[in-house]
Amino acid sequence: MAEKNSFLVFSGTNSKYLAEKICASLGVKLGEMQTTRFSDGEFAVSYEESIRGRDVFLVQSTFPNSDNLMELLLMIDAAKRASARQVVAVIPYFGWARQDRKDRPRVSIGAKLVANLLEAAGIDRLMTMDLHADQIQGFFDVPVDHLYASGVILPYLQSLKLKDMVIASPDVGGSKRANAYAKYFGCPLVLCNKTRARANVVETMQIIGDVKDKNVIVVDDIVDTAGTIAKAADVMKQAGAKSVRACASHCVMSGPASERVQDSAIEEIVFTDSIPYSNRCAKVKQISVADMFAETIRRVLDNESISSQYLL
């Protein structure tokens, strides 16, 4: 591995819990950085140690609210101005990724805008996980290391040793991801066809496939308000499913999500810790991706391939 003093890892305010785990896995100390907040809502960042000529890894997921993204941009700018050799943004959860195209007239493409902001701030590389759409990698003109949560979720699902298992996608858009899981386990794939009344509100849902007497695992990348995944679980249970579990990469879980999951037919829902989750729900389990990101950092520093980490 590269010399420990050749690189430094820093964290934004709300991703410190994950950055500390990554540093523990790497066997290094989390870099010292200070964020000063002002009464009008502005804030400033400063590095409390020299980073001149170092490879700097900045850990910060850009989950709500927007302060997390702004803090990351300031961290990048400060690192460039402090003569860091290379600035790598480690963004386990890349916010605005659902705005990856113009799906109707006169709308913004938020994912491209955020990519532009990160590059303008000065990143030399991006390290992220389970982008909502793979093509977002093409929004960047710097190298992108795109990791997959399946690396930690699949081993957990295998440990359950479920019989008569079926993998399900909560919507047609997630069929590619769910199909990869189904192929890995060698089990059938079920799709849910949904119609929305408006954003975050599911109107109707139909199941395409057989779930009767099956142990169903619903696979998704993001659970926001949990309306889709809770509805899917309830519909599958009504269709005769023996049990319904769910797994997703990013635990956004906003608004009434925790209550919806608790009141639904879902037995357990598994997330990574790319986003902190404070609203306790007995059905939610989080698995850490710290070791996976730490290993990727090590391989990037040593100019090694990262593809062997992919299980799918």
Side-chain angles (χ1 to χ4, degrees):
M1 181 175 168
E3 292 292 328
K4 289 183 181 178
N5 62 1
S6 70
F7 74 97
L8 290 165
V9 180
F10 294 91
S11 171
T13 304
N14 292 321
S15 291
K16 195 171 182 180
Y17 72 97
L18 182 56
E20 288 174 340
K21 294 179 192 175
I22 291 172
C23 285
S25 184
L26 286 168
V28 299
K29 182 183 175 185
L30 182 64
E32 295 183 20
M33 197 190 78
Q34 182 176 336
T35 301
T36 304
R37 297 186 179 273
F38 305 103
S39 61
D40 64 352
E42 283 190 20
F43 47 90
V45 302
S46 61
Y47 294 96
E48 300 300 297
E49 57 187 295
S50 175
I51 61 175
R52 184 179 296 273
R54 306 284 192 92
D55 291 329
V56 175
F57 294 83
L58 307 178
V59 181
Q60 178 80 315
S61 284
T62 58
F63 54 89
N65 63 33
S66 300
D67 282 2
N68 292 301
L69 172 60
M70 190 63 198
E71 185 180 31
L72 176 59
L73 293 171
L74 291 172
M75 289 163 63
I76 296 164
D77 183 70
K80 295 298 285 189
R81 296 179 188 278
S83 302
R85 190 180 80 86
Q86 180 180 216
V87 178
V88 181
V90 181
I91 309 177
Y93 172 70
F94 185 89
W96 287 271
R98 285 173 283 183
Q99 298 179 44
D100 63 320
R101 66 197 184 282
K102 285 188 69 173
D103 56 354
R104 55 193 176 87
R106 299 176 296 282
V107 297
S108 61
I109 303 180
K112 174 58 176 168
L113 174 60
V114 172
N116 289 346
L117 289 169
L118 290 168
E119 290 195 354
I123 64 167
D124 297 292
R125 188 181 201 98
L126 171 68
M127 201 175 287
T128 189
M129 181 181 77
D130 276 350
L131 291 167
H132 187 64
D134 287 349
Q135 64 265 25
I136 291 173
Q137 296 172 73
F139 292 174
F140 291 87
D141 292 321
V142 297
V144 177
D145 298 309
H146 188 205
L147 308 182
Y148 295 95
S150 55
V152 296
I153 291 177
L154 285 173
Y156 176 74
L157 295 179
Q158 283 180 311
S159 73
L160 298 177
K161 297 180 179 177
L162 297 173
K163 295 182 179 179
D164 300 318
M165 190 165 70
V166 166
I167 299 295
S169 173
D171 53 38
V172 176
S175 59
K176 181 181 176 183
R177 181 182 305 103
N179 187 50
Y181 275 65
K183 282 186 176 180
Y184 182 86
F185 286 113
C187 66
L189 173 68
V190 169
L191 300 177
C192 294
N193 182 42
K194 68 181 179 183
T195 58
R196 287 193 184 274
R198 58 185 183 278
N200 294 130
V201 178
V202 178
E203 188 170 39
T204 62
M205 181 174 289
Q206 301 87 32
I207 302 173
I208 304 171
D210 182 24
V211 297
K212 187 172 176 58
D213 298 324
K214 304 290 185 182
N215 289 305
V216 181
I217 304 228
V218 184
V219 178
D220 210 348
D221 63 330
I222 299 170
V223 175
D224 188 351
T225 61
T228 297
I229 214 156
K231 179 79 171 176
D234 293 344
V235 170
M236 288 176 186
K237 197 70 174 176
Q238 292 166 12
K242 192 184 299 181
S243 70
V244 182
R245 291 173 174 82
C247 62
S249 309
H250 306 297
C251 182
V252 177
M253 295 289 281
S254 64
S258 295
E259 290 76 16
R260 283 177 175 170
V261 168
Q262 190 62 47
D263 296 339
S264 73
I266 296 173
E267 288 193 12
E268 180 183 48
I269 184 164
V270 181
F271 295 104
T272 74
D273 59 350
S274 63
I275 298 175
Y277 177 64
S278 56
N279 296 326
R280 293 292 94 191
C281 172
K283 294 182 178 182
V284 170
K285 177 182 178 65
Q286 282 190 292
I287 303 173
S288 184
V289 290
D291 288 343
M292 183 171 71
F293 274 95
E295 178 62 15
T296 304
I297 289 172
R298 184 193 70 77
R299 294 186 184 205
V300 166
L301 288 167
D302 292 342
N303 296 311
E304 296 178 5
S305 170
I306 67 168
S307 59
S308 61
Q309 292 193 93
Y310 302 157
L311 295 183
L312 293 179

